[in-house]
Amino acid sequence: MDDQKDILLAKWMDQSISSEELMTLSKDVDLDYLDTLLKQSKSLELETKPAEQMWESFNFPSKVAEVPKRRFINWLIFGVIAIIIILAFLFYNPKKSIKTGIKKTQNFAFIDGSKAYLGPNSMISFDADNYTDNRTISMKGHVYFEVEKGSTFTVKMAGGSVQVLGTSFNIWNVNDEYVTVQCYEGSVKVINDKVNQEQVISAGQAVSFNNNELSDVHSMSRKRPDWMDNQRIYNGIPVNLFLKDLSAYYGITFSNGDINSKELISGIYPTDDIDKAIKTIEVSNQWKHEKTGDKIIFTSSD
Amino acid sequence: MNVCNQKIFKELYFQWNEPIQRFLQSKGLDLHKAADLSQDVFEKMWKNCATITQQKAKSFLFTAANNLFIDDYRKKKTVLKYNSEFISGMEKKDGQYLLEMNEFKDQMEAVIESMTKASKEVFMMSRFNNMSYKEIAQALDISVKAVEKRMSKALLHLATNKIKIKR
C-alpha cells in the first residue's frame, strides 16, 4: 500500500475514516470479515496477576533524595558552599578543579548558583579568583550544566567550546572528534574550533561533532541527560568509544574481541545494573560475552 | 502534588498495575515475567516519587516499563483467555459452541503470533489493553503515525490470513 493508504485500516478501526476513504479501503480489504473477527475477539483477554495479590508482595524501596528546589533552605546551602569555597580559595591555588573517577559522579555548585553535574571519569576546572568576572570552565568527559543568568558562560573542551547566558545543557566530550551537546533550557552556541563552525541550538535540541563536522541539529524529548536517569542512549557511536564510555559506569573493562571497533552502536543501556547491561548489549547486537578477571570481552555470536 | 503519599501511590498501583502487565505481555513477556517487571516499575516509581507528579505518573509508568523491558530471545507464545463475561454466558451454550470457540482462540493466538513483532505489540496494546494510538505512541516513544502504520499492517495481516469465525 502507498503512503496515504497504509494507515487507512488503523483509521477504520478508530472510526475516524472518511466515507471516501472507506470506499477505497473496502475494495482492497474484506472489512466484514475483519469486523466480525474483532467483535468475536472481544471474548478474549490477557491474563494478569491480580493487583490485590501483587500489592501484598510489594516492598517499598527507599526513596531517592528529593531534587532540591530553589527555596530559602537551598540558598542557605549554596551560601554555605560558597563560603567554604571562598575560604578554600584564600588558602589554596585559585585554579580549582573537580575530578571524578570510575563509577563516581559528583555535583558542584559555583559561587553564582550555577551547577555542574559530573558523570564518571570527568573533570572540570576554572579560575576561581576571576570566576565572577569571567565564567569560563574547562571540561573533559561528561558534564551537565545548569547555568544561572549573568555574563557569558563558556565551556571549553577538546575540539571546541559552548557559550551560553543562562540555561541547562549537557556535554559529552569523548575526545576532540566526538562531542555531543544537548540543550534542556534556553539556548546555547556550540563552537567547533577545528573547522571554525558555529551552531546555536535551543531547548530540546542536540548537536554533535563527528569527525570534525557539526551534525545536523536534532530534537530530543528528554528533560535531563540520560546518564542522570541511570541509562545511556547512543546514536551511532563506534564500538570502542561505546564500550569505553559504558565501562566508566561499572568500573569493569569492556573490550571487543573479534568485533570491528568502527562498527556503529545505537540503543539504550542501563548504567546501574551490570547484568542487564551485558544482556542488553548481547541481545541488541547479537554478541556474546566472556569474563576474565574484571574484564569482559564481547565477541560476535556466530 | 507528588506520588510519595502512600494512599495516592496505592491508588495508582491498583489502577495501573494490570495495564502495565498487559503492556509488557504485548511486548512479548510471559505472565510471570510481566508481573515481576511491573513490580520493578512500581518500585522505581516509589524510589523517584519526589520527582513525579500525579499527572505524570501514568506516562512515567509506561515509559519506565518500556525502558526496563529487555527483549528476551526465546519466543513467547501469545496466551489469551476468555474474559469472565464470556464465561458466564457460556453455561447456556452447547458443547459444539465451546469447541468452536476454543478453536477460534487457538487460531487467534496463532495468527497474532505470525505478525511481525512491531505490529503484534501495537495490535495487542490496542486490542487487549484498551490503549489509544496516542497512548501507545507515548509509551513506545514513537509517532502516532508510526503506530497507525503498524496497526494497519496488523489488521491487513488478519484480513489476509483468515481463520474460521462464526458469522
Side-chain angles (χ1 to χ4, degrees), chain A residues 10 30 33 45 47 51 64, chain B residues 18 25 47 81 133 162-163:
Chain A
D30 185 348
Y33 165 81
E45 64 179 23
E47 189 176 357
V64 173
Chain B
E18 292 176 53
Q25 286 186 39
K47 272 188 200 163
K81 64 162 198 167
Y133 298 157
K162 289 193 178 171
I163 61 173

Side-chain angles (χ1 to χ4, degrees), chain A residues 99-232:
Chain A
K99 276 185 188 160
T100 55
I102 297 262
K103 287 189 351 188
K104 295 273 189 288
T105 60
Q106 195 177 335
N107 307 343
F108 180 77
F110 295 96
I111 198 165
D112 62 344
S114 298
K115 275 166 271 172
Y117 300 81
L118 282 74
N121 255 357
S122 304
M123 190 271 283
I124 56 171
S125 70
F126 62 102
D127 184 348
D129 267 0
N130 297 316
Y131 176 78
T132 327
D133 299 323
N134 177 10
R135 301 200 293 176
T136 301
I137 315 292
S138 304
M139 65 88 63
K140 274 184 191 158
H142 205 159
V143 185
Y144 173 61
F145 292 95
E146 284 178 353
V147 179
E148 290 296 315
K149 288 207 164 50
S151 61
T152 306
F153 187 99
T154 306
V155 181
K156 292 192 165 167
M157 68 219 147
S161 61
V162 173
Q163 284 182 359
V164 302
L165 293 172
T167 168
S168 305
F169 59 102
N170 182 58
I171 302 178
W172 182 34
N173 171 217
V174 184
N175 53 34
D176 60 355
E177 289 187 351
Y178 274 91
V179 179
T180 297
V181 181
Q182 294 146 336
C183 179
Y184 295 92
E185 248 182 57
S187 61
V188 304
K189 188 201 271 180
V190 181
I191 300 155
N192 183 335
D193 285 341
K194 286 197 178 167
V195 288
N196 209 11
Q197 266 183 306
E198 286 184 358
Q199 177 69 53
V200 175
I201 58 171
S202 49
Q205 295 186 322
V207 70
S208 311
F209 303 359
N210 198 331
N211 292 322
N212 299 330
E213 221 181 280
L214 272 172
S215 75
D216 287 337
V217 174
H218 45 272
S219 59
M220 52 177 194
S221 56
R222 303 187 66 87
K223 293 285 175 274
R224 58 183 200 164
D226 52 359
W227 64 271
M228 296 178 84
D229 287 322
N230 297 329
Q231 51 178 235
R232 291 285 289 125

Side-chain angles (χ1 to χ4, degrees), chain B residues 16 20 36 49 55 61 66 71 86 90 99 107 109 114 130 136 141-142 149 162:
Chain B
W16 294 111
I20 292 290
D36 287 351
C49 67
Q55 291 75 24
L61 289 170
N66 196 42
D71 214 337
F86 176 79
M90 194 95 92
L99 269 175
Q107 291 191 358
E109 287 172 350
S114 66
N130 275 329
I136 297 172
D141 202 15
I142 57 178
K149 280 188 186 175
K162 289 193 178 171

